[in-house]
Amino acid sequence: MPLGTQSIWLRRYPTAETPRLRLLCLPHAGGSAGFFHSWGHAFGDDVEVLAVRYPGRQERIAEEPFAELEELAAAISGELDPYLDVPLAVFGHSMGATVGYEITLRLAERHGTAPALLMLSGRKAPHLLTPRAAAFGSDADLVEEVKRLGGTDAALLDDADLRELVLPAIRADFTAVARYAPRPGVPLPCPVVGYVGDSDPGVAAHEVAAWADLAPRGFALRVLPGGHFYLVDRKAELVGDIRARLAAQR
């Protein structure tokens, strides 16, 4: 696919010139590419941001969400071929971190390449995951869980009309996350950074630190104040940290 052709999977924030590096951003369960809109030009004139558009929301509201994270990662990986002419960094939050991990494995298998840097936020390492029921029973239970985690999606659920639009994608994503069973991790072919909020109700810092077990090429952990969506309230700190790490990829 020529770069002038817009992929339905990727919202591009192009640079004026050929970028030095691209940053692929993968949203959380129920999230959308719009979550990363303010990141679009936050990393310098030579970094092009690609925010992933999952099916079942925004421009793709009529499409069925994926039921398996491995299948979602495979589909996204297939869209990345035209963008691998320069180094690619990956950032994923929560569900997006697992998808980013799976994409990294597929890039290594398919292309013999690896991201310049893999940044995984608010998600346990795969060998620490615990089995969960496949889905929350009622809509009320699901809404309660989303509100427990916080973030911008929780506010949308207070509006009955918006809730009807967004809840199917949220349920599908939570189900896909639950189906992603615990597994031995595969060592990653690139440096890894883990991010987590110090009061995340579902993920402890040591569980994110366990990604180090899969990072023979180097691991760093950054703990920021906040809950599961620390990256909203601490956006400036997180973006600054990522910007510095991307600048070092030269």
Side-chain angles (χ1 to χ4, degrees):
M1 178 191 302
L3 287 185
T5 303
Q6 181 77 325
S7 168
I8 191 61
W9 281 93
L10 301 171
R11 180 178 293 174
R12 290 180 64 208
Y13 295 87
T15 55
E17 304 293 336
T18 300
R20 171 184 61 87
L21 179 145
R22 292 189 173 94
L23 173 63
L24 182 73
C25 297
L26 297 147
H28 53 279
S32 68
F35 185 81
F36 294 107
H37 179 70
S38 65
W39 290 30
H41 299 286
F43 303 102
D45 295 337
D46 57 353
V47 176
E48 179 177 275
V49 172
L50 305 171
V52 174
R53 295 162 160 157
Y54 297 147
R57 63 219 79 191
Q58 292 190 329
E59 303 95 331
R60 308 184 69 182
I61 190 71
E63 299 180 45
E64 284 291 320
F66 277 65
E68 304 287 344
L69 296 188
E70 295 93 336
E71 294 176 2
L72 178 60
I76 297 167
S77 300
E79 296 291 310
L80 294 177
D81 292 11
Y83 301 95
L84 299 177
D85 56 321
V86 300
L88 180 75
V90 176
F91 177 93
H93 178 59
S94 197
M95 181 185 87
T98 295
V99 178
Y101 165 69
E102 290 287 339
I103 286 172
T104 298
L105 299 182
R106 282 158 178 75
L107 289 177
E109 180 180 346
R110 178 186 293 186
H111 298 285
T113 188
L117 184 65
L118 176 61
M119 294 169 281
L120 304 169
S121 169
R123 184 71 167 149
K124 299 176 185 179
H127 52 293
L128 296 188
L129 295 175
T130 51
R132 293 179 57 182
F136 290 86
S138 68
D139 287 351
D141 292 337
L142 184 56
V143 168
E144 182 179 346
E145 175 64 8
V146 173
K147 290 188 173 184
R148 184 181 75 91
L149 294 174
T152 55
D153 302 313
L156 296 177
L157 297 174
D158 290 330
D159 183 302
D161 292 334
L162 290 176
R163 183 167 61 243
E164 185 177 349
L165 285 175
V166 303
L167 207 55
I170 293 174
R171 178 176 290 281
D173 288 354
F174 272 64
T175 300
V177 169
R179 287 176 175 168
Y180 189 84
R183 65 199 62 198
V186 178
L188 291 158
C190 60
V192 178
V193 181
Y195 294 97
V196 65
D198 63 1
S199 56
D200 190 315
V203 186
H206 73 271
E207 293 171 319
V208 176
W211 285 102
D213 298 341
L214 310 182
R217 295 179 180 267
F219 178 80
L221 177 68
R222 183 73 192 272
V223 181
L224 291 169
H228 192 62
F229 284 94
Y230 73 91
L231 65 177
V232 175
D233 294 333
R234 297 289 173 169
K235 185 183 77 172
E237 292 172 60
L238 176 61
V239 166
D241 188 86
I242 295 172
R243 185 188 300 116
R245 295 181 190 278
L246 297 184
Q249 301 296 318
R250 294 184 183 274

